Amino acid sequence: MEDRYNRNILIGNFGEEGQLKLRTSRVLVVGAGGLGSPVLFYLAAAGVGTIGVVDDDVVNITNLQRQILHFTSDLGRQKTESAQEKLTALNPDVKIVIYNCRFSNENAEKIINGNVEGDTVGLASDMSCLRSGGEYDFVVDCCDNYATKLLINDVCVRMKKPYSHGAVVALRGEVMTYIPGSACYRCVFDTPPEDGVLPTASQIGILGSVAGIVGSLQATETIKYLAGINDLITNRILIAEANVMNFISLKVKKRDSCMCGVIE
């Protein structure tokens, strides 16, 4: 373990203890596209013990400009299967669990609780320090629509499950982390915008490297949380404006009427 993760272990407030925490952690990533690709890549490279991937889509030619886990030879394949293959090749010691389905009201809590069986690949070597329990410790929102983003928020708040929100379009991205007790995504966006109000990536484009920036930030937040490193992007939203290469941090105040305040 020390050789593969040497550069992690050398970090002052990380060390072997932080690496072991990653090894025994379980992370669920919703979406294996533009954001999910860098998130999944860096979580697997860092040595997160179990990574779940939820996506019901197949690889399309328009994905390849930014979705770095998928290659031209993967066109038409399930994104989860394509991602699983690359991640296992990168780090066979990581357990990859795939769910070829849409994250929905019917299955969200069951998947997070580990009550939905997924296809598993990985664990080519030592399994002794992996947890047997199926519940995920952290959720990463890498989806591309507001309805699912709000669903992820609501389920995680209700289950008191920490998660990272990420979004990207054109040259702009945003990241926010929720932990029980902090402001949640609904404190910023209470209801999804009506169809056609906000432009989508299919309308105004998206620069692949910007998706990489935002996904890398989400992976960093996830790793920091799991390793016990403080100073997360909580009670604020970090906005990346790549056109002027500027990062803006806006405070987010918890609304008394929001579900995160009621449940707490």
Side-chain angles (χ1 to χ4, degrees):
M1 182 178 79
E2 290 186 4
D3 287 342
R4 180 182 286 269
Y5 306 117
N6 173 264
R7 299 304 190 270
N8 286 354
I9 294 170
L10 289 175
I11 299 172
N13 56 346
F14 196 95
E16 292 187 1
E17 181 180 354
Q19 192 61 51
L20 182 59
K21 287 179 180 178
L22 293 191
R23 178 66 170 157
T24 57
S25 294
R26 299 171 57 88
V27 176
L28 181 70
V29 179
V30 183
L35 293 177
S37 287
V39 167
L40 289 164
F41 188 97
Y42 281 116
L43 293 184
V48 172
T50 301
I51 304 172
V53 190
V54 183
D55 202 308
D56 68 342
D57 201 5
V58 298
V59 180
N60 182 281
I61 189 68
T62 63
N63 302 150
L64 302 183
Q65 159 260 11
R66 65 196 179 280
Q67 300 183 16
I68 59 173
L69 282 183
H70 313 304
F71 303 162
T72 301
S73 58
D74 296 313
L75 292 175
R77 292 183 70 190
Q78 289 284 340
K79 288 184 179 179
T80 50
E81 296 173 4
S82 170
Q84 185 183 59
E85 179 183 272
K86 313 306 189 308
L87 298 173
T88 302
L90 172 66
N91 190 350
D93 294 337
V94 172
K95 179 179 179 182
I96 307 297
V97 185
I98 63 173
Y99 306 88
N100 288 321
C101 61
R102 192 173 186 83
F103 197 71
S104 66
N105 282 299
E106 291 72 30
N107 64 25
E109 288 196 24
K110 294 178 181 178
I111 291 176
I112 294 174
N113 275 328
N115 294 330
V116 174
E117 185 175 351
D119 295 326
T120 304
V121 170
L123 301 179
S125 62
D126 178 38
M127 295 183 286
S128 61
C129 61
L130 285 177
R131 292 191 353 241
S132 59
E135 182 177 354
Y136 288 98
D137 304 301
F138 196 91
V139 178
V140 191
D141 162 23
C142 297
C143 67
D144 60 1
N145 66 87
Y146 284 98
T148 307
K149 289 183 180 302
L150 288 172
L151 171 62
I152 293 171
N153 177 85
D154 294 352
V155 171
C156 287
V157 170
R158 187 164 59 245
M159 298 178 68
K160 297 185 177 180
K161 185 72 59 177
Y163 88 96
S164 169
H165 156 76
V168 63
V169 67
L171 292 166
R172 182 185 185 278
E174 64 185 38
V175 180
M176 177 180 179
T177 301
Y178 165 81
I179 60 174
S182 72
C184 74
Y185 185 63
R186 276 199 186 271
C187 292
V188 184
F189 304 103
D190 187 25
T191 57
E194 296 181 5
D195 291 340
V197 172
L198 295 179
T200 64
S202 62
Q203 296 171 320
I204 64 171
I206 177 174
L207 189 62
S209 56
V210 178
I213 290 170
V214 175
S216 296
L217 290 171
Q218 288 186 277
T220 303
E221 286 288 280
T222 305
I223 292 168
K224 285 169 59 183
Y225 174 83
L226 297 174
I229 301 174
N230 297 321
D231 298 324
L232 302 169
I233 308 174
T234 53
N235 296 312
R236 59 192 177 101
I237 187 165
L238 182 66
I239 299 174
E241 295 282 5
N243 57 330
V244 292
M245 203 49 74
N246 194 21
F247 289 81
I248 304 169
S249 184
L250 301 178
K251 291 183 179 180
V252 176
K253 185 178 180 181
K254 182 186 292 189
R255 292 188 297 105
D256 293 337
S257 60
C258 184
M259 63 177 297
C260 65
V262 175
I263 289 177
E264 183 186 6

